[in-house]
Amino acid sequence: MLNQNLCRRVFALFMCLNPLFTFAGTMGSLNKDVLSYLPILLEKGHATVQLGGYWGYQGKEQHININGLIGDTLTVTRHTNSNGLVGIGYFIDGVQRDKYQMLWGLNTFYLAKTAVEGQVIQEDLFTNLAYDYRVQHFPLYAMAKTLIKTMYPEHTVVLDVGVGPNFMKTSGFSERSLDGITLPDHIFSGKSRTTFSATASAAVRSTRVLGSAPVEFGYRFFYLGEGTFNKLSNQVVNTLKAGNAYGNSLFCSIII
Amino acid sequence: MIKRIITQFSLGLVCVISSHAVCAGKLFSVTSTGTHAQVEITLCLNGEAALSCQKYHVPALDLKIHTVANHSYPSAGIKINTPGFILTGTGFDCRTNNGFCLFPVNNRNDVSVSLTEAAQEQFSQNFDEVSAGTLPSGWVADGTGAGDNWTTVITEANTLPNSIFTNDAGTRSDRYIDSPVITLVSNSNQLSFYNYYNSESGWDGGVLEISLNGGPFEDILDAGGVFLSSGYNGTLRGGPLRGRAAWTGDSGGFILTSLDLPPNLLSQTIQLRWRFSSDESVSGVGWWIDTILLTI
């Protein structure tokens, strides 16, 4: 009975996030059925809005092969960069025990652009160019969240994990001369890619900050996958990759 | 050679040891001798896509180029950025669409490159901007006899679609076409044009004439011009130009005729005339002219 109830809630949550939901009023009986789950969803679930900052780690040193040349080695001088993040999610209540409660949900984040910088060692001999590019992430996670009660009724420990696709985009690849005589090659351009992503967080939920509205403060780790670039010349053999990206964030969640 | 290897090894060693330091360097070694000039060139290790390129300023026109890295580059590229200079020499493939001429180069053997001051165009006409059957502004065709007047045609062309043409009639004819008046800005002028004649050999043919400062037309050789390539190939035995050196017979297609105009004509005006004559019997095909270029 419990599992059946849970399945109905998850199904309702999924359909809620379906864009077709917006037009449900004009659709047939199937979506009317879906709408019938909405009261359950609203009663047994909660939305969350997250704000914070993150420190991204990305970029990797690699050799770019060019027809007829020894090639270029692209080093990375700046792996880490920080920017803001926002997230929204919706969780529904799951198993509830004396010491803890499980919640299930979907949570999506926008991790604003962060920069990677490096240098180009032409023919593995001369560092004649510098380069930089940007990476942004839009991961969507299926989440499992645990609320663990503490000795203080107004404070709860929150742990969660999630997996899902990361819609990431590299952009703004540009080079500049370091010696005044070398011309930028401009051989790569940004590319959108979907990668596997995972996240985990630890936070403390408090009901003493914004009245009775729960607020969470915590740390979240992201594994964001590897971005890549388009080649702009057929003389370039292999393309540039952004390396596996990780993010460490401090965030604040408001439970609605 | 040993010095070059030691230099290259030292550069590499320094860069490897200080791998985190910026160690910029030139990809090519360029030395220049000969006539002094200030010319900027771009050299690329891959000229097909213009990759790994650097700009070099050279103070003279005869260049020796080799690479610094110990590697053979099959398609390095060179492009001259300073207007008024062109690349001369053999072994360059300039059929790219990015402005680079390709050449093989390595760190062991110098490639010789010569730069020369390019001729500056004074006047040109390829007859392609008008409809067939009409002449560009300033060009005048006239003559006597049974032959057709010069006009633009699409039957043959060095540059598509048009050239100018007059036929080789089987009766006596004298047909000419005059260029616009051209004011020369140099004492040294070169004329070139593409020339396709197919006439009764020895009897029908064409000549080039010139008028200086509005005076009477005379043969280009009589006026002091000198053919540099594909000049007159015979003497006519009949027709209005009997006894004159001329182009006659069959050239087999367009050939490039070039010549030095008479010297010391700075600030003077000229008019050029292509003149074709045929005698009283036996017709041929005619005479086509295309891609006329006057340079200093």
Side-chain angles (χ1 to χ4, degrees):
Chain A
M1 185 62 185
L2 179 68
N3 286 340
Q4 203 175 20
N5 220 7
L6 181 63
C7 286
R8 290 171 66 192
R9 290 177 185 182
V10 170
F11 178 67
L13 174 60
F14 174 77
M15 294 309 294
C16 181
L17 293 173
N18 188 323
L20 294 175
F21 172 79
T22 308
F23 306 102
T26 62
M27 298 177 73
S29 59
L30 175 65
N31 282 319
K32 285 177 182 171
D33 291 342
V34 170
L35 284 175
S36 67
Y37 291 109
L38 193 57
I40 304 170
L41 198 68
L42 295 175
E43 284 176 17
K44 299 295 183 180
H46 67 264
T48 176
V49 176
Q50 293 122 335
L51 295 170
Y54 83 102
W55 292 260
Y57 179 95
Q58 51 216 350
K60 72 174 179 182
E61 180 173 319
Q62 60 205 288
H63 187 80
I64 302 299
N65 294 306
I66 301 172
N67 280 342
L69 274 62
I70 295 170
D72 297 341
T73 294
L74 273 67
T75 66
V76 180
T77 55
R78 183 180 187 181
H79 284 283
T80 56
N81 194 206
S82 60
N83 208 332
L85 72 78
V86 295
I88 56 170
Y90 197 89
F91 291 83
I92 56 175
D93 297 344
V95 180
Q96 187 156 8
R97 295 288 184 265
D98 292 342
K99 297 284 187 183
Y100 67 91
Q101 180 188 1
M102 293 295 297
L103 297 94
W104 312 95
L106 291 176
N107 206 158
T108 185
F109 295 89
Y110 171 67
L111 283 69
K113 289 179 183 177
T114 50
V116 175
E117 296 175 359
Q119 293 174 337
V120 181
I121 305 176
Q122 294 185 314
E123 300 303 279
D124 290 344
L125 203 56
F126 298 121
T127 309
N128 290 334
L129 296 169
Y131 73 90
D132 63 82
Y133 60 81
R134 307 284 181 274
V135 186
Q136 60 185 324
H137 306 274
F138 207 141
L140 172 64
Y141 297 113
M143 305 278 287
K145 181 184 277 192
T146 306
L147 304 179
I148 303 171
K149 294 176 182 173
T150 67
M151 65 180 68
Y152 306 103
E154 65 272 25
H155 297 307
T156 310
V157 172
V158 183
L159 302 175
D160 71 38
V161 294
V163 294
N166 175 25
F167 307 99
M168 68 187 307
K169 183 180 180 183
T170 56
S171 61
F173 181 87
S174 68
E175 293 171 313
R176 68 178 196 282
S177 177
L178 293 175
D179 59 1
I181 66 168
T182 303
L183 303 177
D185 286 330
H186 298 307
I187 49 178
F188 300 114
S189 67
K191 185 177 184 179
S192 296
R193 188 178 188 220
T194 304
T195 60
F196 171 78
S197 180
T199 185
S201 83
V204 174
R205 175 181 288 190
S206 174
T207 54
R208 298 187 65 180
V209 179
L210 291 176
S212 60
V215 178
E216 294 173 2
F217 299 95
Y219 162 81
R220 177 175 298 283
F221 171 79
F222 294 95
Y223 168 73
L224 297 161
E226 184 175 50
T228 187
F229 289 81
N230 291 313
K231 294 186 295 181
L232 296 180
S233 169
N234 62 4
Q235 297 294 302
V236 179
V237 177
N238 57 314
T239 194
L240 179 65
K241 294 181 178 177
N244 282 315
Y246 306 92
N248 296 285
S249 77
L250 295 176
F251 68 93
C252 166
S253 293
I254 301 168
I255 311 301
I256 300 169
Chain B
M1 174 60 81
I2 293 173
K3 186 181 174 186
R4 189 182 294 177
I5 292 171
I6 292 172
T7 303
Q8 182 186 312
F9 179 76
S10 304
L11 281 169
L13 193 63
V14 169
C15 287
V16 168
I17 291 171
S18 56
S19 59
H20 294 290
V22 173
C23 187
K26 292 183 176 180
L27 300 170
F28 293 88
S29 170
V30 182
T31 56
S32 59
T33 57
T35 306
H36 289 283
Q38 291 297 326
V39 183
E40 183 192 89
I41 61 174
T42 299
L43 292 169
C44 301
L45 293 178
N46 181 317
E48 291 186 32
L51 298 175
S52 296
C53 301
Q54 292 182 323
K55 287 181 180 176
Y56 294 83
H57 289 88
V58 294
L61 298 181
D62 295 322
L63 311 180
K64 300 280 188 193
I65 299 173
H66 65 260
T67 57
V68 174
N70 182 15
H71 190 73
S72 291
Y73 298 90
S75 300
I78 181 171
K79 183 168 74 171
I80 300 169
N81 303 323
T82 305
F85 293 88
I86 59 171
L87 185 69
T88 57
T90 57
F92 298 97
D93 178 3
C94 299
R95 292 171 296 177
T96 60
N97 56 12
N98 60 7
F100 282 88
C101 294
L102 308 181
F103 63 102
V105 64
N106 56 45
N107 67 323
R108 296 176 298 281
N109 303 304
D110 284 325
V111 172
S112 295
V113 177
S114 292
L115 310 178
T116 55
E117 287 197 66
Q120 294 178 36
E121 182 179 311
Q122 271 280 289
F123 172 83
S124 66
Q125 182 57 257
N126 59 17
F127 305 104
D128 296 331
E129 304 301 320
V130 296
S131 302
T134 61
L135 290 174
S137 175
W139 288 78
V140 176
D142 204 351
T144 58
D148 296 335
N149 250 343
W150 285 87
T151 191
T152 50
V153 295
I154 59 171
T155 51
E156 298 285 348
N158 175 62
T159 57
L160 294 173
N162 298 335
S163 64
I164 52 171
F165 174 78
T166 186
N167 67 324
D168 180 6
T171 56
R172 187 179 178 86
S173 178
D174 184 358
R175 291 287 164 182
Y176 62 85
I177 183 167
D178 293 345
S179 73
V181 174
I182 303 164
T183 301
L184 299 177
V185 296
S186 171
N187 277 322
S188 176
N189 305 278
Q190 275 200 352
L191 176 71
S192 67
F193 59 93
Y194 278 84
N195 184 0
Y196 181 4
Y197 48 90
N198 189 350
S199 65
E200 183 191 8
S201 183
W203 298 93
D204 304 339
V207 297
L208 175 64
E209 297 180 338
I210 188 170
S211 164
L212 304 176
N213 300 313
F217 282 92
E218 58 181 328
D219 193 274
I220 190 70
L221 297 180
D222 294 339
V226 177
F227 282 112
L228 302 174
S229 67
S230 301
Y232 297 146
N233 65 335
T235 301
L236 298 180
R237 286 173 278 172
L241 297 178
R242 180 179 179 180
R244 297 267 301 264
W247 289 287
T248 181
D250 185 359
S251 65
F254 279 101
I255 58 175
L256 177 63
T257 292
S258 63
L259 63 146
D260 282 334
L261 290 185
N264 304 318
L265 294 179
L266 176 64
S267 300
Q268 300 186 52
T269 61
I270 65 166
Q271 235 179 329
L272 299 166
R273 169 176 288 180
W274 284 262
R275 183 179 174 191
F276 186 85
S277 89
S278 59
D279 70 345
E280 292 78 2
S281 63
V282 184
S283 63
V285 181
W287 193 18
W288 292 268
I289 299 294
D290 200 359
T291 321
I292 297 166
L293 180 63
L294 177 63
T295 58
I296 59 173

